[in-house]
Amino acid sequence: MQGPLYRYGPRGLRRGAALTLVFAGVLATGAATGSLPRDEAAGADTRTRPAAASLVPVDRQELAAAAAGAAADGKSATQAAEELVSRSGDRWGAVYDEREYEEFEQALDGSYTGVGLSARRTADGRVRVARVEPGGPADRAGIRADDVLTTVDGDRTQGRPVAEVVAQLRGDGTHERAGSSVVLGLERGGRARTEFLHRARLTTEPVTVRRLGTGPTSTVLIKATAFTRGAGGEIRDAVRSAPGDAGILLDLRANRGGLVGEAVVAASAFLDGGLVATYDVQGEQHALYADGGGDTTRPLVVLVDGGTMSAAELLTGALQDRGRAVTVGSPTFGKGSVQMPSELPDGAVAELTVGQYRTPGGKGVEGRGITPDVVAGTGALDRAETVLSGLGGGS
């Protein structure tokens, strides 16, 4: 029998570009699964959802009362829930209509509708392209990483939250579908241009692996951009197949998070059992544990930044607190709250925050993020390679 279902992850704007995670399954054994709407800090326009049958009410009486009174007030159950969430003061609370929530299911397998780019904010307030999905609309238009995204459909991006920009990139209502158009203003090397793109249904490649160098102990770079279904296993397989005593660089920069179970599987690749994280739900404590048999001796450095979110922060905190890895980069996003979804009579889903999670050392992540052991901005990859070399895992 399946246990209650819980979420944790960024919920930026209402209906917005936020990353969510759902705890589910047999909680007593730490089994977990989950979902993610769109990324807030890293700008990836991907979302997922759990099975609707697993939804459980949050504050059932309040939501039921709001839904029951909706018709009398000339409102829909969704409108009533939105007002309830707004009045609650819950910064991560959100309401999704049925169409939006249906998108979640497909994204569990790494597919989404969008233009195929991730974005980040620079120190000067500009929005830059962080990553371009190979073969997607942005890639075919010649958009590249580090291009400045100046406008979306004529609206300037300067000073706006990245989540808001990403939500506009993805579209809303009737525009959030494959084939709908969006106009991007871009700059590269001081030269401005305009690109007309059509959104498409895309499949992501959440984990990539490559060697840095050619020797038997050359570094293995594992880049994980999200924890969609199977990502944890891909990381585990990459570690198992790494040659000899080669060190591992686990790059979680701009990782939009995702399924908690996949983050736990990834942690299990480097740990021999033990605690990965604890979390509370309405005061009741739970724990997530790694499987035994992971590689506990291979040199490991984890790269993080402000786009490292939710499930990726859970993994980072576990490896850092357990003394298994040296973390390099800049502070992570800071989203460690747990949301519980509740299905409304009209098929919409309302979410309210019900708890927090902590790292094995007892540190809270919500609003704080994780500070890396070695702080580095530009040139973080080079710094990480130097640190790894000092651990005996250089290229």
Side-chain angles (χ1 to χ4, degrees):
M1 179 175 179
Q2 191 174 49
L5 186 70
Y6 306 106
R7 293 181 179 241
Y8 101 82
R11 316 284 303 171
L13 308 172
R14 295 276 186 249
R15 305 177 179 276
L19 172 67
T20 298
L21 168 65
V22 177
F23 291 101
V26 186
L27 296 176
T29 62
T33 186
S35 71
L36 62 156
R38 292 167 290 204
D39 169 23
E40 175 170 328
D45 48 358
T46 295
R47 303 187 301 172
T48 63
R49 58 158 288 177
S54 301
L55 298 174
V56 294
V58 178
D59 201 343
R60 183 191 296 267
Q61 292 183 342
E62 279 192 275
L63 284 176
D73 295 335
K75 305 173 184 174
S76 67
T78 298
Q79 290 173 317
E82 286 175 335
E83 291 182 4
L84 175 63
V85 170
S86 179
R87 291 196 305 269
S88 73
D90 183 351
R91 66 179 298 201
W92 303 119
V95 179
Y96 294 95
D97 64 33
E98 187 173 10
R99 178 193 55 79
E100 290 176 320
Y101 217 59
E102 280 298 325
E103 284 285 310
F104 297 173
E105 190 169 62
Q106 293 181 346
L108 280 169
D109 292 316
S111 66
Y112 67 99
T113 300
V115 297
L117 66 80
S118 297
R120 61 184 174 86
R121 181 165 304 288
T122 56
D124 60 4
R126 292 181 135 197
V127 173
R128 288 185 180 271
V129 176
R131 183 175 182 274
V132 177
E133 194 71 32
D139 183 35
R140 294 194 299 270
I143 298 173
R144 298 291 177 260
D146 283 333
D147 283 354
V148 177
L149 181 61
T150 57
T151 62
V152 179
D153 283 337
D155 298 327
R156 294 189 62 80
T157 64
Q158 181 81 20
R160 293 170 57 195
V162 173
E164 184 177 304
V165 174
V166 171
Q168 190 174 8
L169 276 172
R170 182 179 174 85
D172 54 28
T174 58
H175 293 98
E176 189 175 342
R177 66 178 188 273
S180 61
S181 61
V182 60
V183 183
L184 307 187
L186 299 137
E187 286 184 8
R188 181 189 301 169
R191 298 183 63 181
R193 74 183 195 278
T194 300
E195 295 291 348
F196 295 81
L197 305 181
H198 288 88
R199 298 178 180 94
R201 197 72 193 172
L202 302 171
T203 301
T204 64
E205 188 178 6
V207 178
T208 56
V209 183
R210 65 186 178 94
R211 297 283 295 278
L212 302 180
T214 57
T217 60
S218 61
T219 297
V220 176
L221 174 64
I222 303 174
K223 172 68 175 176
T225 58
F227 286 105
T228 52
R229 184 174 289 123
E234 289 187 45
I235 292 174
R236 178 193 58 210
D237 293 344
V239 173
R240 288 177 175 173
S241 62
D245 297 323
I248 300 286
L249 278 180
L250 179 60
D251 190 352
L252 300 181
R253 292 175 297 177
N255 184 302
R256 56 189 180 265
L259 303 175
V260 173
E262 297 297 336
V264 173
V265 171
S268 299
F270 303 104
L271 300 171
D272 187 12
L275 188 64
V276 173
T278 60
Y279 61 98
D280 65 275
V281 176
Q282 297 175 328
E284 185 176 353
Q285 298 297 311
H286 301 275
L288 298 168
Y289 295 95
D291 293 332
D295 188 329
T296 61
T297 59
R298 190 184 298 272
L300 173 65
V301 169
V302 178
L303 271 164
V304 296
D305 65 5
T308 303
M309 318 173 76
S310 63
E313 291 179 284
L314 182 148
L315 173 58
T316 301
L319 297 177
Q320 184 185 58
D321 281 10
R322 296 282 302 273
R324 179 60 187 91
V326 176
T327 54
V328 176
S330 52
T332 63
F333 179 80
K335 184 64 181 73
S337 64
V338 179
Q339 281 79 43
M340 181 183 290
S342 178
E343 190 168 24
L344 301 173
D346 59 1
V349 174
E351 293 185 343
L352 294 175
T353 300
V354 296
Q356 306 284 324
Y357 91 87
R358 294 183 177 275
T359 67
K363 295 180 292 188
V365 176
E366 177 66 26
R368 303 176 184 177
I370 296 172
T371 300
D373 302 308
V374 179
V375 177
T378 56
L381 178 59
D382 291 338
R383 188 69 181 275
E385 289 188 76
T386 298
V387 171
L388 188 63
S389 178
L391 297 175
S395 298

